[in-house]
């Protein structure tokens, strides 16, 4: 599926009022403790809150689904700080650069809205997400014990990670990251 990594194969757009159902389904496909439609609507309505949806322009067999939405990110900007609240890619569309496009577009938009840094939390056992963040300049700055609770009741700690957007925002972001 290398072809999907070619420039322009992934489009990223801001979540609009008609995307709420899709966003809710995408979130559910990525997380055990998924957020409800009203949770997501509330979050998007907060000052500085926004969501992005990524679409694969060339999704092969699953093309219609992929065109409608393969992944999402949710962020909030408060003054000069921002937070990546959630990011996920539907299981069938992973390892094609979708999260990379979403993260880059999220970082760029937060910076445009005035943020100099971005924070996030990631479960200590979520090695794939940690790898994605490290590649994009995030560093571990703290640890939150028992931060998440899994469906089986198990509690999992989280790392807090931070990225200096003014340093890491980048040459590699260009207009193709945001449709
Ligand atoms: C983490 C997640 C968002 C990655 O999405 P993705 O679209 O597959 O990521 P990308 O294809 O852009 O991968 C970018 C890089 O992340 C790392 N990565 C992603 N998935 C990985 C995996 N399964 N194993 C190891 N590294 C992985 C790699 O460094 C990868 O670069 P490479 O493919 O060139 O090696 C996706 O697996 C997901 O939705 N997981 C469930 C939800 C979740 O954990 N969200 C993060 C919460 S903090």
């Amino acid at each position: 599926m290398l072809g999907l990594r070619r420039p322009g194969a992934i489009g990223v757009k801001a979540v609009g009022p008609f995307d709420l159902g899709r966003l809710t389904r995408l979130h559910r496909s990525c997380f055990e403790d998924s957020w409800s439609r009203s949770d997501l609507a509330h979050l998007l309505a907060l000052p500085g809150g926004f969501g992005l949806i990524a679409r694969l322009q060339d999704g092969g067999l699953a093309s219609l689904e992929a065109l409608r939405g393969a992944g999402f990110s949710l962020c909030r900007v408060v003054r000069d700080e921002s937070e990546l609240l959630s990011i996920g890619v539907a299981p069938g569309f992973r390892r094609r650069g979708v999260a990379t496009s979403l993260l880059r577009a999220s970082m760029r938009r937060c910076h445009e809205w005035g943020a100099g840094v971005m924070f996030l939390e990631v479960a200590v056992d979520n090695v794939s997400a940690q790898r994605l963040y490290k590649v994009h300049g995030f560093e571990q700055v703290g640890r939150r014990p028992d931060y998440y609770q899994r469906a089986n009741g198990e509690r999992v700690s989280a790392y807090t990670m931070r990225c200096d957007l003014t340093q890491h925002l980048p040459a590699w972001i260009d207009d193709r990251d945001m449709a």
Side-chain angles (χ1 to χ4, degrees):
M1 282 303 187
L2 279 177
L4 291 171
R5 289 188 186 255
R6 68 182 161 70
I10 300 166
V12 177
K13 70 170 193 107
V15 170
F18 301 112
D19 296 315
L20 210 47
R22 179 143 305 273
L23 181 63
T24 309
R25 284 191 290 279
L26 280 170
H27 199 280
R28 197 184 305 133
S29 75
C30 294
F31 295 100
E32 282 178 358
D33 51 344
S34 58
W35 298 345
S36 69
R37 187 184 172 104
S38 63
D39 290 340
L40 291 163
H42 173 73
L43 201 149
L44 291 169
L46 290 172
F50 70 87
L52 301 177
I53 282 192
R55 298 184 292 191
L56 291 174
Q57 326 276 2
D58 180 12
L61 285 177
S63 56
L64 188 56
E65 199 54 27
L67 251 182
R68 288 184 177 143
F72 71 92
S73 64
L74 294 163
C75 301
R76 189 167 183 211
V77 179
V78 178
R79 288 195 282 272
D80 58 348
E81 294 190 353
S82 60
E83 188 177 2
L84 182 72
L85 300 167
S86 191
I87 186 168
V89 175
F93 305 121
R94 289 181 186 162
R95 273 340 257 285
R96 301 176 187 192
V98 176
T100 298
S101 292
L102 283 163
L103 182 59
R104 291 178 179 186
S106 300
M107 292 166 74
R108 185 175 69 171
R109 180 175 274 225
C110 287
H111 188 250
E112 285 168 356
W113 286 15
V117 290
M118 182 179 260
F119 290 92
L120 60 85
E121 260 85 37
V122 56
V124 294
D125 59 359
N126 193 346
V127 176
S128 40
Q130 288 165 32
R131 218 174 265 180
L132 168 73
Y133 301 140
K134 280 181 187 157
V135 167
H136 288 87
F138 284 83
E139 291 170 341
Q140 191 184 321
V141 291
R143 185 184 169 108
R144 295 183 169 221
D146 300 334
Y147 187 74
Y148 297 107
Q149 182 161 17
R150 298 263 154 84
N152 63 5
E154 183 196 356
R155 301 210 72 108
V156 182
S157 302
Y159 293 129
T160 300
M161 300 187 83
R162 175 188 187 277
C163 176
D164 183 339
L165 296 176
T166 57
Q167 268 189 25
H168 292 282
L169 245 200
W172 37 256
I173 289 185
D174 66 27
D175 288 336
R176 288 172 304 204
D177 283 324
M178 179 76 76

